[in-house]
Amino acid sequence: MIVQACINGARPTDYHPRLPLTPEAIARDAAAVVAAGAAELHFHPRAADGKERLIAVDETIDAVRRTCPGSLVGVSTGAWIEGDELRTLEAIRQWSVLPDYASVNLSESNAPAVMTLLREKGIGIEVGLASVADAERYIRLEAHERVLRILIELDNEQELQAARDVAKGIVDTLQRANVQRPILMHGFDATVWPFLQLAKEQRYSTRVGLEDGKLLPDGAIAANNAELVAAAVAIFRAQG
């Protein structure tokens, strides 16, 4: 069970005044969240114009590794980032400063090709499942167990009971297929803290940060990523 910090994601620049966008800002936040107890880092590198770009991975990871030596570092491969399947694959091929792992969304048509390329480059795979259909697709993939972990993420479902039902359906599908990979479960906006508590109860890993939400458990706006991570770590470490 770990708390991963997801420090910016696809959030717009005006989402929060401390949203880190440049390599330097991402590296500073990375150091702060590690100090707050984050076991891993996940971020979306941005180009000079503030937009997500896979071509910005090398510079950003290099900056983060200087401030957080030894921390596991992951990035997104979301199809929306480059907006084209061939550009996505070509950008990944050009990475020379490699992340420890990269997230791949099974809802995206090009996911199997992205996973194959990541394996060829020796990059771990965090496979993202947002529906039972994603889970069913995952277990049909050849060598589907060759992933670092399974990421259960329900960004589009904000009604808590509906989100819980989808999550249970995903877990049940994986269990019926006897999938043995570790699970990281997280919420988004309204479901961040309920799903963090659910992850604790189920002994799954979780994540928190400005990618997933900016509110603390008491409803106040967090000052920064480190405050969100500190709150999550406190919940995970609490007895009961």
Side-chain angles (χ1 to χ4, degrees), residues 6 21 68 72 74 78 107 125 128 134-135 148 151-152 162 188 201 206 211 230:
C6 54
L21 301 176
C68 303
L72 288 181
S107 60
I125 298 168
D134 287 351
L148 174 67
L151 178 64
I152 298 178
F188 185 80
E201 292 168 2
T206 194
E211 173 171 353

Side-chain angles (χ1 to χ4, degrees), residues 94-113:
Q94 292 180 19
W95 290 350
S96 59
V97 182
L98 302 182
D100 297 292
Y101 63 92
S103 300
V104 182
N105 303 312
L106 256 291
S107 60
E108 296 172 358
S109 61
N110 207 33

Side-chain angles (χ1 to χ4, degrees), residues 79 84-86 88-89 104-105 107-116 137:
D84 178 87
E85 292 182 352
L86 294 179
T88 295
L89 293 172
V104 182
N105 303 312
S107 60
E108 296 172 358
S109 61
N110 207 33
V114 172
M115 293 171 70
T116 296
R137 185 188 192 198

Side-chain angles (χ1 to χ4, degrees), residues 54-55 82 86-95 117:
L54 295 180
I55 59 172
E82 297 298 328
L86 294 179
R87 284 201 302 271
T88 295
L89 293 172
E90 184 56 31
I92 295 171
R93 287 191 188 97
Q94 292 180 19
W95 290 350
L117 179 55

Side-chain angles (χ1 to χ4, degrees), residues 32-106:
V33 297
V34 169
E40 290 183 11
L41 304 164
H42 171 82
F43 48 83
H44 293 211
R46 307 289 184 109
D49 61 3
K51 295 180 179 179
E52 296 175 85
R53 292 299 306 276
L54 295 180
I55 59 172
V57 163
D58 285 8
E59 180 183 7
T60 308
I61 291 179
D62 184 61
V64 169
R65 289 222 167 103
R66 287 197 299 271
T67 63
C68 303
S71 295
L72 288 181
V73 174
V75 299
S76 175
T77 62
W80 69 87
I81 296 174
E82 297 298 328
D84 178 87
E85 292 182 352
L86 294 179
R87 284 201 302 271
T88 295
L89 293 172
E90 184 56 31
I92 295 171
R93 287 191 188 97
Q94 292 180 19
W95 290 350
S96 59
V97 182
L98 302 182
D100 297 292
Y101 63 92
S103 300
V104 182
N105 303 312
L106 256 291

Side-chain angles (χ1 to χ4, degrees), residues 137-201:
R137 185 188 192 198
Y138 164 69
I139 62 179
R140 290 195 300 268
L141 294 177
E142 185 177 355
H144 61 264
E145 291 276 10
R146 291 179 56 201
V147 298
L148 174 67
R149 69 167 65 93
I150 293 168
L151 178 64
I152 298 178
E153 49 184 354
L154 307 178
D155 295 3
N156 295 323
E157 183 54 76
Q158 291 294 284
E159 199 281 314
L160 181 57
Q161 188 56 53
R164 283 177 173 270
D165 291 344
V166 174
K168 184 178 186 303
I170 291 171
V171 171
D172 289 348
T173 300
L174 297 174
Q175 290 179 340
R176 285 195 297 270
N178 197 33
V179 173
Q180 300 295 314
R181 303 314 302 149
I183 290 176
L184 187 154
M185 175 182 287
H186 74 91
F188 185 80
D189 285 339
T191 63
V192 166
W193 298 107
F195 262 64
L196 188 140
Q197 185 63 44
L198 179 61
K200 178 185 177 180
E201 292 168 2

